[in-house]
Amino acid sequence: MKSTTKHQETAPAVSAGAAGTAAEKGWGEPAGGEPRRGRFTRENVAKVLFIVPAALYLALFFGYPVVKNITMSLQAYTTKTFFTGEAPWVGFDNYATMFGSQLFGPALLNTGLFTIGSIAGQFVIGLALASFFKRRFPLNNFLRSMLLLPWLLPLIVASATWRSILDQDSGILNRFIGAFGLEPVPWLTSPSVALIAVILVNIWVGIPFNVTILYGGLQDIPEELYEAGALDGATGWAAFRYITWPNLRPVVSVVLVLGMVYTIKVLDIILGLTNGGPANATQTLSIRSYQESFVNFEFGVGAAFSNILIVISLLFAIIYLRANRRAVDE
Amino acid sequence: MSRTTMTKKKLTKKKLTTLLAMAAIAPLAFSACSAGGAGGSETSGEGADTLTILDYYNNEPDKTLVQAALDKCATDLGVTIERESVPGKDLIQKVLQRASSKTLPDVLMLDNPDVQEIAATGGLSPMSDYDVDTSGFAPGILEAATYEGEVYGLAPAVNTLGLFYNTELLAAAGIEPPTTWDELKAAAAALTVGDQYGMAFSAIATYEGAWQFLPFMWTNGGDETDLGSPEVTEALQLIVDLVESGSASSSVINWSQADVKDQFVAGKAAMMINGPWQIPALMETPDVTWDSVQIPVNKAGQTPVAPLGGEVWTVPVTGDDEKQATAAKFVECISDDENQLALSEARYLVPTKEALAEEYVEKVPTMKSFTEQVANARSRTGQLGEEWPEAATVIYTAMQLALTGQVPVEDAFEQAMAG
């Protein structure tokens, strides 16, 4: 913020940078300190024109849905609403229904476990693989691109495939385990195992993202640091601890926060694998929101559930922004 | 580069930025215009004798088979039709969307348990407004299409559930198709060998799972208005026994009815609860020989009662009275005797006019048990109407709780009803 205002002051007649400054100025102080006659100059018109598409886009695709979602959560919004256009205000009834539901507690807990479990697994395996691919060896590039496959597969296809892999009777995973004389695991049929199975599949889905971003981060660490470190005796684990990790921190925070926001709203994988079952063992807030809205057609209650998700995501976004600002200030 | 060219360049650049910015806004303005235009033309562009139709038969061969019936009615009534078929799971969302944009089709197909919910919104017009004759139809399907005393649509053909069995496996084991629950349990146990289960059904945590539970619940005298009753619990005990004894896979809690059919076709299940819409798929694997009987009853003397499935054609309120009247005639035509028989025969369904049953079974003997079953079949929404989805949720939740051993069978429904 500080740096941008300075930029405005020192460059009063910017032309090339019009887009950047216009965006900030237009929101902040329309009249500014400038003389009045400057209001409708061509330059100012251009500035405004540049803002309009972005502002319209934000208002249409971010502002409207968020506001609509909040108002919807305060209305009795059901199938009838679509025909009559009437959605009576019910205050916080939908929130009361949500918090009063026996599934709210378990869904919240499952969302937490699912998110933390998935992120931890994705990140650790992703970082390990990224470090591994930093070395030069034959087929490195080929193998790294193959790693992206889970990312390219439509999630609905991936979850259908995993469902057959995890099938208790004829799934290939249990056949494999059976070859070692172990009992078949009821991956998707036991309420105590299903959440773990769903997390494992989500880890598989998230690894490519983590590897790609972390690998990019690793590439940015100057080789000289390692050479210098090696001279001081920092190799192997010490090199990772004192050179790689501190230099990777900004990338790590991006990966973790984005991962958090992506994971907390995961729907398709769980729907495809268990549909929230068995016996509600894999219900999460996003599954509740989906089922209330599109199975029970209680759009108001569904909106209430998704608002909770938005608040949680927002919380992490704020933590991320604050952490980043601190890093810049330092 | 000299100073003058620099400033010149700056100027042109400035102009360019203005232009660019305007260019960026222009499409927004244009698209707003065109969106308005498209909305207007959609209603005015159609001729007065064109009926728009919305259904969910988007897969072959159903799509073509239904098209034939629609084309025939279009010719009979001298109208042209514009048909749209969307995937089954998207239909209700599509209907809601089109309801809010006031672009409902003239003829709308709905899955029968959804009819009352949509009728309750006031979005459908009753058949009595157009003097459509609703006599002679099976009571179950009329019940499904009735909301507050008015019939809102007609179904040409319906389906239900029955017990399919692998004739080869049963013959080899010397077992007759079961007619009672005890026989079912005994047969399923005897037919469970190696990786082959005796029995398969769907207990998935969706309305599909609830639908598969209904034949046992209703046959035993249970009712969706009293899910805590001992009759309902007994039915739940039956399916829990089947899984706990190992006669059915514990994966039933994740199986859709299509998965159940796959197990049966793969020879991994000797018997299954399923519907006649699976028959075309079963025909694709001729080496699996099968037959079907009605759902087994708890005690000899009970009547097997299965749920009624199938789609109802309705007339949405579009505001164009003349067109709605034509649409009502069209709906009546889809359900006439000729279409009933043609659609039933081609799609392995059961005609909804009771008078056609005998003629139909003569023509399609494989449908005998299902035709008998339909005569006593009940609709899911007959008792509860719009409240049915809540009861269905309780049913599949109780099934899941009991089958996973989370809650004892006798407490499962109580627990599920608690929310």
Side-chain angles (χ1 to χ4, degrees):
Chain A
M1 206 54 217
K2 230 176 244 167
S3 66
T4 48
T5 39
K6 204 186 257 170
H7 178 58
Q8 268 179 2
E9 280 156 22
T10 51
V14 241
S15 52
T21 47
E24 281 135 21
K25 236 183 154 179
W27 287 113
E29 23 183 337
E34 307 256 330
R36 270 195 139 205
R37 61 182 163 76
R39 238 187 183 174
F40 294 106
T41 61
R42 175 181 289 185
E43 192 184 313
N44 279 353
V45 171
K47 283 178 188 173
V48 171
L49 288 182
F50 264 106
I51 302 165
V52 170
L56 272 180
Y57 176 79
L58 283 175
L60 271 177
F61 293 98
F62 291 92
Y64 177 73
V66 168
V67 171
K68 181 79 182 167
N69 210 43
I70 292 170
T71 55
M72 198 186 264
S73 72
L74 302 172
Q75 290 172 306
Y77 207 104
T78 57
T79 31
K80 274 197 185 75
T81 309
F82 289 85
F83 289 87
T84 59
E86 284 162 23
W89 296 96
V90 292
F92 289 94
D93 275 12
N94 290 329
Y95 289 92
T97 310
M98 174 180 72
F99 288 122
S101 139
Q102 282 211 342
L103 287 177
F104 181 78
L108 187 65
L109 179 67
N110 286 344
T111 309
L113 291 175
F114 179 77
T115 310
I116 293 168
S118 299
I119 299 277
Q122 290 170 3
F123 181 75
V124 170
I125 298 174
L127 185 58
L129 282 170
S131 311
F132 174 67
F133 280 109
K134 224 187 139 224
R135 299 157 178 244
R136 291 202 179 81
F137 56 89
L139 291 182
N140 178 321
N141 281 335
F142 173 74
L143 286 175
R144 204 155 40 84
S145 51
M146 291 311 278
L147 259 186
L148 290 179
L149 269 182
W151 212 358
L152 301 178
L153 224 54
L155 284 179
I156 210 75
V157 176
S159 57
T161 312
W162 274 103
R163 213 164 79 101
S164 76
I165 291 172
L166 296 172
D167 186 86
Q168 191 180 349
D169 301 317
S170 46
I172 191 165
L173 188 58
N174 274 352
R175 291 283 164 118
F176 179 74
I177 292 173
F180 297 97
L182 295 168
E183 282 290 300
V185 179
W187 293 110
L188 299 175
T189 51
S190 158
S192 44
V193 187
L195 188 63
I196 297 169
V198 172
I199 290 173
L200 288 178
V201 173
N202 195 47
I203 289 176
W204 172 83
V205 172
I207 286 175
F209 173 75
N210 282 263
V211 172
T212 311
I213 308 274
L214 292 172
Y215 180 80
L218 287 178
Q219 295 295 91
D220 281 347
I221 302 175
E223 202 53 39
E224 296 85 56
L225 289 180
Y226 290 98
E227 284 165 16
L231 288 178
D232 292 335
T235 54
W237 181 247
F240 179 84
R241 168 77 183 75
Y242 295 105
I243 302 172
T244 313
W245 185 249
N247 280 295
L248 205 57
R249 261 188 52 195
V251 180
V252 167
S253 64
V254 171
V255 167
L256 289 184
V257 169
L258 284 183
M260 198 70 91
V261 173
Y262 286 155
T263 311
I264 210 160
K265 68 175 176 61
V266 162
L267 178 74
D268 24 26
I269 296 170
I270 303 180
L271 277 188
L273 283 172
T274 61
N275 199 30
N280 292 324
T282 53
Q283 287 280 359
T284 62
L285 291 177
S286 54
I287 294 277
R288 285 314 308 141
S289 173
Y290 171 83
Q291 289 187 339
E292 288 293 354
S293 295
F294 298 109
V295 179
N296 302 340
F297 297 115
E298 290 287 347
F299 294 94
V301 182
F305 270 103
S306 58
N307 280 335
I308 295 287
L309 276 182
I310 292 175
V311 167
I312 296 175
S313 298
L314 205 64
L315 221 66
F316 281 104
I318 290 171
I319 292 172
Y320 167 72
L321 287 176
R322 289 194 68 114
N324 247 25
R325 187 186 296 172
R326 205 179 308 132
V328 170
D329 287 349
E330 278 165 14
Chain B
M1 219 186 272
S2 76
R3 195 168 256 266
T4 42
T5 48
M6 273 282 272
T7 38
K8 234 185 199 171
K9 230 191 169 172
K10 253 185 192 168
L11 271 175
T12 46
K13 212 172 193 177
K14 214 173 189 179
K15 249 185 194 166
L16 222 103
T17 37
T18 319
L19 264 172
L20 264 176
M22 289 179 92
I25 301 178
L28 286 169
F30 288 139
S31 64
C33 288
S34 63
S41 67
E42 205 169 328
T43 41
S44 61
E46 296 154 9
D49 53 355
T50 299
L51 291 181
T52 50
I53 299 177
L54 180 64
D55 64 53
Y56 67 36
Y57 303 110
N58 68 323
N59 288 322
E60 295 299 350
D62 284 353
K63 189 174 183 182
T64 313
L65 294 171
V66 171
Q67 184 71 43
L70 298 177
D71 284 342
K72 184 190 143 284
C73 288
T75 319
D76 285 2
L77 294 173
V79 294
T80 48
I81 52 173
E82 254 174 52
R83 179 186 179 202
E84 186 186 355
S85 301
V86 297
K89 63 176 177 49
D90 299 339
L91 182 74
I92 293 295
Q93 285 177 46
K94 184 91 183 171
V95 169
L96 296 181
Q97 186 193 331
R98 290 180 72 160
S100 63
S101 63
K102 310 277 178 228
T103 52
L104 278 171
D106 299 310
V107 176
L108 172 65
M109 184 227 77
L110 288 170
D111 194 14
N112 78 72
D114 295 329
V115 175
Q116 298 195 25
E117 168 122 37
I118 302 294
T121 66
L124 302 178
S125 56
M127 292 290 112
S128 63
D129 284 7
Y130 314 103
D131 297 325
V132 171
D133 183 15
T134 55
S135 62
F137 284 85
I141 194 67
L142 281 181
E143 205 178 68
T146 303
Y147 176 74
E148 292 185 344
E150 291 280 2
V151 177
Y152 282 90
L154 296 177
V158 289
N159 60 55
T160 185
L161 288 170
L163 180 75
F164 285 83
Y165 62 94
N166 186 316
T167 46
E168 208 171 302
L169 293 175
L170 264 74
I175 294 171
E176 285 293 308
T179 54
T180 64
W181 291 3
D182 285 337
E183 285 177 29
L184 177 67
K185 282 194 255 187
L191 289 162
T192 302
V193 207
D195 65 351
Q196 169 198 314
Y197 287 101
M199 178 72 178
F201 54 89
S202 162
I204 195 169
T206 63
Y207 297 152
E208 210 173 332
W211 144 268
Q212 284 241 336
F213 183 70
L214 290 176
F216 295 115
M217 178 175 113
W218 280 339
T219 298
N220 196 37
D223 197 276
E224 60 271 30
T225 52
D226 183 15
L227 288 173
S229 74
E231 289 84 5
V232 179
T233 305
E234 277 171 30
L236 184 59
Q237 187 69 54
L238 169 70
I239 65 164
V240 170
D241 285 348
L242 284 169
V243 171
E244 276 183 358
S245 65
S247 303
S249 167
S250 53
S251 300
V252 293
I253 56 169
N254 283 325
W255 282 348
S256 69
Q257 297 181 97
D259 295 325
V260 171
K261 178 259 300 169
D262 288 343
Q263 297 288 322
F264 185 78
V265 167
K268 285 185 178 164
M271 299 182 287
M272 66 166 175
I273 301 291
N274 226 322
W277 64 89
Q278 304 287 11
I279 291 177
L282 295 177
M283 303 272 224
E284 283 170 20
T285 45
D287 48 321
V288 176
T289 53
W290 56 270
D291 204 347
S292 67
V293 289
Q294 292 198 49
I295 299 285
V297 297
N298 186 9
K299 300 175 200 92
Q302 286 176 326
T303 314
V305 184
L308 204 56
E311 295 79 22
V312 173
W313 296 84
T314 64
V315 180
V317 178
T318 53
D320 184 339
D321 290 344
E322 206 175 314
K323 247 188 187 182
Q324 281 176 218
T326 318
K329 284 209 187 74
F330 196 88
V331 166
E332 200 172 13
C333 169
I334 300 174
S335 288
D336 72 10
D337 291 7
E338 196 184 327
N339 269 332
Q340 291 217 354
L341 284 172
L343 281 170
S344 299
E345 196 179 342
R347 300 182 55 223
Y348 293 96
L349 299 172
V350 179
T352 47
K353 281 195 184 152
E354 288 174 314
L356 297 173
E358 208 174 315
E359 184 187 347
Y360 178 61
V361 173
E362 239 166 71
K363 259 187 174 169
V364 194
T366 43
M367 289 298 293
K368 185 167 178 288
S369 67
F370 291 108
T371 309
E372 288 163 356
Q373 191 88 74
V374 161
N376 294 314
R378 264 172 74 170
S379 76
R380 280 158 278 178
T381 47
Q383 302 269 343
L384 293 175
E386 301 165 80
E387 309 297 315
W388 160 246
E390 279 157 41
T393 308
V394 171
I395 292 175
Y396 70 68
T397 308
M399 288 167 87
Q400 294 253 319
L401 289 171
L403 285 170
T404 54
Q406 297 288 94
V407 175
V409 175
E410 55 274 19
D411 301 334
F413 274 97
E414 201 181 321
Q415 172 94 16
M417 275 187 278

